[in-house]
Amino acid sequence: APEQVLGFKNSKPPVDIYAMGVTLYFLLTGHYSLTFPTQAEREHGIYITKDPLLMILEDDPIPVQTRRADLPAELCRVVNKAVSKDSALRYSTADDFAAALARGLD
């Protein structure tokens, strides 16, 4: 999470929401929420051109629906909220995230 890069000692629960969100994002799309190359892309000579920490701090996540237009809109909304750069815009608790995810899968 961006705030973890800036001050890991002051990390709060929204960091965990972000971690769960980016993990789910990768599981759903096979890509990172930022433009990091995948392992397969790196094996084909595609490398990062920008410092990864700057990418985390400066770049906006790519919306899930951009990578997987076939996913339900509500599921995309839930994942996009979880990977928000602004911690105040993420889910407050893991329970809130889980409940929203359950609704998104209905």
Side-chain angles (χ1 to χ4, degrees), residues 14 17-18 21 25 61 64-65 74-92 96-97 100 103:
I17 302 300
Y18 184 88
Y25 185 108
V64 175
Q65 60 273 22
E74 182 60 17
L75 177 59
C76 291
R77 189 193 68 73
V78 170
V79 175
N80 290 335
K81 181 173 179 172
V83 301
S84 174
K85 288 245 179 253
D86 184 346
S87 63
L89 298 178
R90 291 185 216 131
Y91 295 96
S92 301
D96 292 344
F97 183 35
R103 287 190 303 274

Side-chain angles (χ1 to χ4, degrees), residues 4-86:
Q4 191 174 22
V5 171
L6 294 172
F8 69 92
K9 289 182 180 182
N10 298 319
S11 295
K12 305 271 190 250
V15 167
D16 296 327
I17 302 300
Y18 184 88
M20 289 187 296
V22 295
T23 300
L24 181 57
Y25 185 108
F26 189 86
L27 290 171
L28 291 169
T29 67
H31 294 275
Y32 302 110
S33 61
L34 298 171
T35 54
F36 299 122
T38 64
Q39 178 66 31
E41 290 169 330
R42 287 192 305 274
E43 288 171 2
H44 286 93
I46 299 172
Y47 296 97
I48 298 171
T49 59
K50 184 177 182 181
D51 183 290
L53 293 179
L54 286 178
M55 292 172 72
I56 292 168
L57 294 173
E58 297 174 353
D59 296 359
D60 290 326
I62 298 164
V64 175
Q65 60 273 22
T66 300
R67 301 219 194 254
R68 287 281 311 272
D70 61 312
L71 292 174
E74 182 60 17
L75 177 59
C76 291
R77 189 193 68 73
V78 170
V79 175
N80 290 335
K81 181 173 179 172
V83 301
S84 174
K85 288 245 179 253
D86 184 346

